[in-house]
Amino acid sequence: MKLLEDRINSDGRILGDNILKVDNFLTHQVDYNLMKAIGKRFADVYKNKGITKVVTIEASGIAPALYTAESLGIPMIFAKKAKNVTMNEELLTTEVFSFTKKVTSTVSISRKFLSSDDKVLIIDDFLANGQAALGLLKLIEEANAQAVGVGIVIEKSFQTGRQLLLDKGVQLTSLARIGAFEGGKIVFAPADDV
Ligand code: 5GP
């Protein structure tokens, strides 16, 4: 997605060997015009696949997931990282290791929001080693729902997540794919939506 690649080039900052900071349009301050365009793009790719729910993980997946859900006209569910007292129903839970926080957290979705009738599109902000998306796939499997696809805003293709997800047999749609960070520059690989 050209608009997204241009924004990554203008506003993205490379941290260390393998982290991209995009906190002025995606992970902290959020550009709703760009999120809307991203949501529309995911919806265009998946509109004929009978998707019934969009599922993401808090926090930074929520903005692109919500606009995708709006575009498809279906609900968005975000997996929660901390249990609170209002979550008193039966929960689907799994452990996810966070690439950026380096901690494992228990993530959960109330069972009542996913059933065997659901066809799910997972959306997330980044794909690195695939732990967040694999965790969501587990929750969807636990609900006996069907995971149809995974939509990623920014994939770092030099990490292991892409292959792990393709091995699971789901469709993967990454709107921007970073092949490498070279000499302080971002080198893009061909995106999945073109
Ligand atoms: P994974 O689970 O695929 O290893 O990592 C994906 C999660 O880690 C995303 O949900 C995102 O929150 C975070 N993440 C991974 N790589 C990056 C990165 O380069 N920059 C930022 N801002 N977050 C990242």
Side-chain angles (χ1 to χ4, degrees):
M1 186 178 177
K2 172 90 171 55
L3 187 68
L4 174 61
E5 288 180 0
D6 288 348
R7 190 63 180 271
I8 294 169
N9 270 330
S10 64
D11 291 1
R13 297 285 169 268
I14 301 166
L15 299 184
D17 291 339
N18 58 12
I19 303 243
L20 182 71
K21 184 165 173 160
V22 285
D23 66 346
N24 72 342
F25 67 91
L26 178 59
T27 61
H28 197 5
Q29 173 172 269
V30 178
D31 178 340
Y32 67 83
N33 280 316
L34 181 61
M35 293 306 121
K36 215 175 169 69
I38 284 170
K40 170 95 178 45
R41 195 71 202 96
F42 283 133
D44 283 346
V45 174
Y46 287 93
K47 66 181 175 218
N48 296 323
K49 305 262 177 182
I51 306 289
T52 60
K53 302 270 166 71
V54 172
V55 168
T56 189
I57 185 163
E58 64 177 350
S60 303
I62 292 176
L66 185 61
Y67 283 107
T68 306
E70 184 201 28
S71 244
L72 289 169
I74 57 176
M76 183 277 283
I77 304 162
F78 61 95
K80 294 190 169 230
K81 286 184 179 153
K83 191 174 183 309
N84 68 42
V85 289
T86 67
M87 293 178 78
N88 53 4
E89 295 108 345
E90 200 189 337
L91 299 176
L92 307 160
T93 57
T94 191
E95 303 282 296
V96 170
F97 177 76
S98 163
F99 179 76
T100 43
K101 300 193 186 87
K102 307 289 177 214
V103 294
T104 298
S105 48
T106 304
V107 303
S108 47
I109 290 177
S110 282
R111 190 176 279 278
K112 67 179 176 190
F113 293 129
L114 282 179
S115 77
S116 55
D117 296 335
D118 282 315
K119 291 178 92 171
V120 179
L121 172 61
I122 293 172
I123 298 288
D124 205 5
D125 59 337
F126 271 92
L127 177 63
N129 292 321
Q131 296 310 297
L134 287 171
L136 293 177
L137 281 174
K138 266 196 210 141
L139 297 184
I140 292 160
E141 201 177 301
E142 235 185 287
N144 293 316
Q146 185 192 345
V148 174
V150 179
I152 297 290
V153 179
I154 304 173
E155 171 190 304
K156 291 175 296 173
S157 309
F158 52 87
Q159 294 179 293
T160 58
R162 182 177 184 87
Q163 196 53 52
L164 290 172
L165 290 181
L166 293 178
D167 288 348
K168 290 273 173 193
V170 287
Q171 182 177 347
L172 177 58
T173 306
S174 297
L175 300 185
R177 296 184 59 216
I178 297 176
F181 295 133
E182 265 173 27
K185 291 251 178 298
I186 296 162
V187 182
F188 288 103
D192 292 314
D193 66 318
V194 287

